[in-house]
Amino acid sequence: MATLAPYEKRHKVTVLGSGNWGSTIAKLVAENTAEHPDLFERDVQMWVFEEEVRYNGSSHKLTDIIKTYHENVKYLPDIKLPNNVIANPSAQDAVKDSTVLIFNLPHQFINNLCNQLKGHILPYARGVSCIKGVNVTASDISLFSESIGARLGIYCGALSGANIATEVAKGLFSETTVAYDPPPMDSSRTATPRGPSPHASHTDLTSLTALTEKKTSSGGKMKLRALPPNYPPLDHTTLHTLFHRPYFHVHVVSDVTAVSLSGALKNVVALGAGFVSGLGWGDNAKAAIMRVGLLEMVKFGHAFFPNSGIRTQTFTEESAGVADLITSCSSGRNFRCARMAAEEKKKLEEEGDKKKPRSVDEIAEEVLNGQVLQGLGTAREVNTFLKSRGKEAEFPLMTAVYKIIQGEMAMEDIPEMIQMH
């Protein structure tokens, strides 16, 4: 039986962001694009926010160091990047002709980036958001995958899981969850092989290139341009091939809402776990915070995204849910910075020192080498939303974490706040 020839086009991949997680994703994706030339172009563009860094005793542009030494010496030191990771200081140039855009930068910067990219991306490009946060206003909340999609006019899925970047970059075994619900016109189209066809095509190409609507998690609709049929389909199988490595196992699901929310809200829970750990309350207290936190994550999703197809099982069975929560509450940066703040506070009190302990914000600024502690921003944004809806009391742990980082409540009061759970 004859088989179809390779597709005429291959997917070009761009990673937008070059922190430790962005560089790690670029590394593993580039390993896969090199191994699958039938599906992907070999080179992976990585947009780098240009900055001067000290290296070997002198100042250099970060992009020049990555290009020359194949290492992100500031954000992912001592890890060699494949030579097909191409550092690019221009976001607009990095996305040129790319069909797969992977967004991996602090959520505070995504709106400005999308504004820069408008008019510079393919109209049928598709995205995957690795951003741990939610887009919040006083009256509304949305997933960053959908905010990206709405701003750029593309479909965007999400990636999240129990993934500490340095461990993944070293090739240590871990899992992740990719959430992607393929637009109908992408997953149902007819494949187009390379070369001339012996018969005229009976495919209605108009239906493949016209704008087509897809529902959002809030029940609204957005118009999308179909992926041309001379590209391999961007479905669960292709995305699995793009992200899966022997050391980085990937499970692809369609529940973008739960995966996105888990990646954002677990950072708030991790702050709470850090507080009780730093106070010296032990593993029982931390386990209680994690249990209550998971309940509030599930409740939040069903309360505010009821028409999205959200599944409780995604929170309780996927790496993006409970596994990521466990990791974040054990060794993630939000947990570590909150624990340091609590330990410092406890030590000063025990010594009778009246000195004001450092806040979590101050500790993060000092120890994270310029990277953002996303749980702080998420806690504040989520509280703004809950307060506008009169729902603070229904999410006592998230409310307690917010009040602690704002200096409105003592860490020691967490048990009283969450006892209704």
Side-chain angles (χ1 to χ4, degrees):
M1 180 177 177
T3 59
L4 290 177
Y7 288 90
E8 179 184 343
K9 293 271 195 176
R10 293 168 298 160
H11 291 293
K12 178 182 176 182
V13 181
T14 294
V15 177
L16 292 150
S18 58
N20 63 345
W21 188 221
S23 298
T24 298
I25 287 292
K27 173 183 180 290
L28 65 90
V29 163
E31 291 169 355
N32 282 329
T33 60
E35 291 180 8
H36 298 279
D38 55 324
L39 297 175
F40 309 106
E41 293 187 12
R42 183 176 184 276
D43 288 348
V44 173
Q45 291 282 320
M46 180 175 73
W47 172 60
V48 177
F49 181 78
E50 192 67 282
E51 55 186 308
E52 294 285 330
V53 297
R54 299 289 296 178
Y55 187 68
N56 288 340
S58 58
S59 181
H60 302 268
K61 291 181 178 179
L62 183 56
T63 50
D64 290 340
I65 293 175
I66 296 173
K67 290 176 182 178
T68 303
Y69 299 101
H70 304 294
E71 180 184 348
N72 188 334
V73 297
K74 181 170 184 179
Y75 298 114
L76 195 65
D78 303 320
I79 298 293
K80 286 298 180 183
L81 301 177
N83 60 12
N84 59 322
V85 173
I86 311 300
N88 194 329
S90 169
Q92 295 176 352
D93 184 64
V95 300
K96 183 180 179 181
D97 298 328
S98 291
T99 48
V100 181
L101 309 176
I102 303 171
F103 295 85
N104 204 325
L105 66 163
H107 73 270
Q108 295 90 333
F109 308 122
I110 191 63
N111 290 339
N112 182 54
L113 175 64
C114 287
N115 289 337
Q116 294 181 47
L117 298 183
K118 285 180 182 177
H120 296 276
I121 66 171
L122 293 174
Y124 46 81
R126 298 292 181 254
V128 176
S129 169
C130 302
I131 300 167
K132 303 292 182 70
V134 285
N135 196 23
V136 180
T137 66
S139 60
D140 194 20
I141 187 167
S142 61
L143 312 177
F144 270 109
S145 55
E146 292 193 343
S147 297
I148 292 168
R151 284 178 175 271
L152 298 179
I154 64 174
Y155 175 74
C156 187
L159 180 151
S160 187
N163 309 137
I164 294 177
T166 52
E167 294 181 8
V168 177
K170 291 176 182 177
L172 303 178
F173 171 66
S174 63
E175 297 179 311
T176 202
T177 309
V178 172
Y180 194 86
D181 187 14
M185 66 283 202
D186 284 1
S187 58
S188 62
R189 62 194 178 83
T190 303
T192 300
R194 182 190 298 273
S197 171
H199 302 289
S201 173
H202 295 288
T203 304
D204 182 3
L205 295 180
T206 302
S207 67
L208 295 174
T209 58
L211 290 172
T212 305
E213 292 184 335
K214 179 172 175 60
K215 287 186 177 181
T216 66
S217 65
S218 61
K221 293 181 179 181
M222 63 182 299
K223 292 185 176 181
L224 300 174
R225 182 79 64 179
L227 182 73
N230 51 350
Y231 284 95
L234 273 175
D235 53 16
H236 283 194
T237 300
T238 303
L239 287 172
H240 185 273
T241 302
L242 180 61
F243 289 105
H244 183 89
R245 299 295 297 159
Y247 59 86
F248 189 68
H249 288 191
V250 173
H251 188 208
V252 187
V253 300
S254 297
D255 189 357
V256 178
T257 301
V259 168
S260 298
L261 283 178
S262 294
L265 299 179
K266 57 92 179 181
N267 287 329
V268 181
V269 180
L271 290 171
F275 292 142
V276 300
S277 179
L279 291 173
W281 290 358
D283 291 336
N284 291 341
K286 187 170 71 172
I289 295 298
M290 293 166 63
R291 183 193 71 82
V292 173
L294 182 60
L295 289 176
E296 290 194 10
M297 288 163 59
V298 174
K299 182 177 180 179
F300 193 99
H302 286 287
F304 301 118
F305 296 88
N307 301 314
S308 66
I310 191 169
R311 301 173 68 247
T312 298
Q313 292 93 327
T314 305
F315 292 97
T316 59
E317 298 177 7
E318 292 296 330
S319 179
V322 66
D324 195 12
L325 181 64
I326 292 170
T327 297
S328 298
C329 292
S330 302
S331 56
R333 65 179 68 164
N334 292 279
F335 170 79
R336 288 186 284 111
C337 289
R339 182 179 61 187
M340 288 174 65
E343 288 172 340
E344 183 174 306
K345 175 181 180 292
K346 182 182 178 185
K347 181 179 179 182
L348 291 173
E349 290 175 350
E350 289 175 345
E351 295 175 349
D353 194 330
K354 300 299 183 182
K355 178 183 175 182
K356 182 180 179 181
R358 291 176 298 169
S359 67
V360 181
D361 295 82
E362 291 168 335
I363 289 173
E365 185 176 352
E366 180 179 322
V367 304
L368 291 183
N369 196 27
Q371 298 188 84
V372 176
L373 194 66
Q374 294 180 331
L376 294 173
T378 301
R380 289 171 176 134
E381 292 164 356
V382 166
N383 183 263
T384 297
F385 174 73
L386 292 175
K387 187 177 295 183
S388 72
R389 296 291 183 95
K391 299 288 187 180
E392 284 181 291
E394 296 184 25
F395 297 88
L397 177 60
M398 294 185 194
T399 300
V401 169
Y402 166 77
K403 289 185 175 181
I404 291 169
I405 64 175
Q406 294 300 105
E408 300 174 6
M409 173 182 149
M411 301 173 189
E412 291 84 354
D413 293 335
I414 289 179
E416 182 180 352
M417 278 287 290
I418 66 173
Q419 61 182 339
M420 65 183 65
H421 280 292

